[in-house]
């Protein structure tokens, strides 16, 4: 399914929050793990006193030794998976992107900072650049909300669908994840009406119940088709859910009620400039969801 899982680590507890998930992925996907640390010699030079510049080579060598020992200790967590530890001199985001640019079969898995009180992700410059620049599948987990045990760390995949071919491009990945990790899938379609539909002064407010019934029926019929597709592809447990409300808000709220949920979504892609154009719904989900998010770049 994936040739490898690339895990950027900087020695912090924040970065390590993704490791229990990677343990589950390595076992379920039966793939190798690459632990990557980046030695930013440029940043070291910037913070080095002028009279200490001649010591830079020794400082870098000491840092590389420290990183090697650190990565070796982390690698012990993956005793049942082939694990490679790499240290590369460069800048973090650019090195991560370059390491996977020619390998579309690599999954990038990384943790981000999080401010749980504000229910908002503070991605930081590295995660932000990777999010915007990669064309690889990307798994992001907010460190403040991450679990610590690999036992059934993922119980379900929450898959928002809006009826577009772009959103549906996540479905083959969902099939593979659901089968490999033995988790259930929940397909969600949110719908809402213009604000004036809820204002009593409008003439068609009296038709609201009929409008809602039609919308629910249409959404449910669409999701049933996708459910049948997933079941036909070997996914054991699939449920469908239609929700009235703003899509991003409803996706986030539902995922909060589903223990061990991962939100799986496709994004727009502009291959010419190697960037993801997230779109408003995905952007809000990535910024505000407590649940981990799997993003796959659409074609």
């Amino acid at each position: 399914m994936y040739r490898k899982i690339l895990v950027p680590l900087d020695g912090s507890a924040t970065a390590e929050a993704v490791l229990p998930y990677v343990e589950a992925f390595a076992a379920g996907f039966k793939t190798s793990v690459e632990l990557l640390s980046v030695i930013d010699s440029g940043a070291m030079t910037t913070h080095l006193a002028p009279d200490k510049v001649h010591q830079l080579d020794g400082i870098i060598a000491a840092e590389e030794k420290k990183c090697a020992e650190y990565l070796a200790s982390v690698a012990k967590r993956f005793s049942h998976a082939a694990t490679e530890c790499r240290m590369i001199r460069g800048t973090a985001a650019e090195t991560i992107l370059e390491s996977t640019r020619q390998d579309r079969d690599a999954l990038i898995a990384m943790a981000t900072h999080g401010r749980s009180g504000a229910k908002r992700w503070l991605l930081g410059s590295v995660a932000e650049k990777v999010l915007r620049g990669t064309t690889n599948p990307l798994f992001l987990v907010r460190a403040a909300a991450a679990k610590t045990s690999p036992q059934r760390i993922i119980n379900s995949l929450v898959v928002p669908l809006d009826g577009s071919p772009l959103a549906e491009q996540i479905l083959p990945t969902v099939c593979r994840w659901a089968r490999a990790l033995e988790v259930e899938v929940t397909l969600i379609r949110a719908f809402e009406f213009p604000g004036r539909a809820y204002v009593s002064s409008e003439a068609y407010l009296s038709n609201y119940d009929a409008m809602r019934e039609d919308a629910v029926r249409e959404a449910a019929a669409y999701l049933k088709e996708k459910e049948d597709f997933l079941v036909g592809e070997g996914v054991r447990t699939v449920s469908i859910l239609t929700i009235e409300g703003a899509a991003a808000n409803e996706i986030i709220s539902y995922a909060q009620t589903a223990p061990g949920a991962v939100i799986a979504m496709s994004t727009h892609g502009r291959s010419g400039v190697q960037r993801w154009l997230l779109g408003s719904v995905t952007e809000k989900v990535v910024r505000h969801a407590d649940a981990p998010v799997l993003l796959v770049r659409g074609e």
Side-chain angles (χ1 to χ4, degrees):
M1 181 173 177
Y2 298 112
R3 194 182 70 80
K4 67 179 180 182
I5 304 171
L6 179 70
V7 187
L9 295 171
D10 59 9
S12 68
T14 293
E16 292 177 5
V18 77
L19 292 176
Y21 295 89
V22 177
E23 288 182 71
F25 298 161
F29 302 150
K30 296 179 174 57
T31 191
S32 62
V33 175
E34 180 179 317
L35 306 176
L36 174 66
S37 282
V38 180
I39 309 296
D40 192 339
S41 57
M44 290 181 182
T45 303
T46 301
H47 296 92
L48 200 62
D51 62 337
K52 302 291 185 181
V53 171
H54 68 282
Q55 300 177 9
L56 181 60
D57 288 343
I59 293 173
I60 293 175
E63 183 64 19
E64 288 179 336
K65 182 176 184 294
K66 178 182 176 182
C67 281
E69 293 172 350
Y70 166 70
L71 293 179
S73 68
V74 174
K76 294 177 182 178
R77 300 180 62 145
F78 302 97
S79 58
H80 299 295
T83 307
E84 180 182 3
C85 300
R86 295 181 66 200
M87 294 176 299
I88 301 178
R89 295 188 186 186
T91 55
E94 288 72 14
T95 300
I96 295 167
L97 294 173
E98 187 59 35
S99 295
T100 55
R101 186 161 286 132
Q102 303 302 322
D103 190 356
R104 291 293 302 275
D105 291 328
L107 169 67
I108 302 173
M110 59 191 302
T112 73
H113 296 279
R115 297 184 299 192
S116 59
K119 297 295 186 185
R120 184 175 178 81
W121 284 18
L122 178 63
L123 293 184
S125 60
V126 175
E128 188 72 47
K129 288 177 181 178
V130 173
L131 174 65
R132 300 296 177 181
T134 188
T135 58
N136 288 70
L138 176 64
F139 177 84
L140 290 172
V141 59
R142 188 166 69 81
K147 293 185 177 181
T148 58
S149 170
Q151 282 297 102
R152 300 308 303 171
I153 194 166
I154 297 177
N155 293 312
S156 67
L157 298 173
V158 176
V159 187
L161 297 173
D162 59 9
S164 69
L166 172 68
E168 292 172 9
Q169 287 188 40
I170 192 65
L171 293 178
T173 296
V174 167
C175 287
R176 293 191 290 269
W177 277 55
R179 292 195 302 260
L181 301 178
E182 298 182 344
V183 297
E184 63 185 53
V185 175
T186 299
L187 304 177
I188 294 182
R189 185 163 185 181
F191 64 90
E192 60 180 330
F193 304 113
R196 62 181 180 276
Y198 303 96
V199 179
S200 59
S201 59
E202 293 291 336
Y204 59 77
L205 180 61
S206 59
N207 295 323
Y208 167 76
D209 288 340
M211 291 167 52
R212 187 180 188 283
E213 185 176 338
D214 288 343
V216 170
R217 185 184 303 111
E218 178 185 351
Y222 166 76
L223 292 179
K224 184 62 170 63
E225 289 183 6
K226 306 311 170 188
E227 176 187 6
D228 292 343
F229 167 76
L230 293 179
V231 171
E233 292 296 313
V235 180
R236 293 182 178 179
T237 305
V238 185
S239 58
I240 62 176
L241 180 65
T242 61
I243 307 178
E244 182 177 2
N249 294 341
E250 298 303 331
I251 294 164
I252 292 168
S253 295
Y254 176 78
Q256 287 178 331
T257 69
V262 170
I263 302 171
M265 307 179 74
S266 294
T267 72
H268 294 277
R270 298 185 299 186
S271 58
V273 290
Q274 300 290 293
R275 282 178 64 85
W276 284 7
L277 181 64
L278 294 183
S280 60
V281 173
T282 306
E283 187 83 40
K284 289 178 181 177
V285 170
V286 169
R287 300 290 177 189
H288 296 273
D290 281 337
V293 180
L294 169 66
L295 296 172
V296 174
R297 183 179 175 276
E299 301 296 338

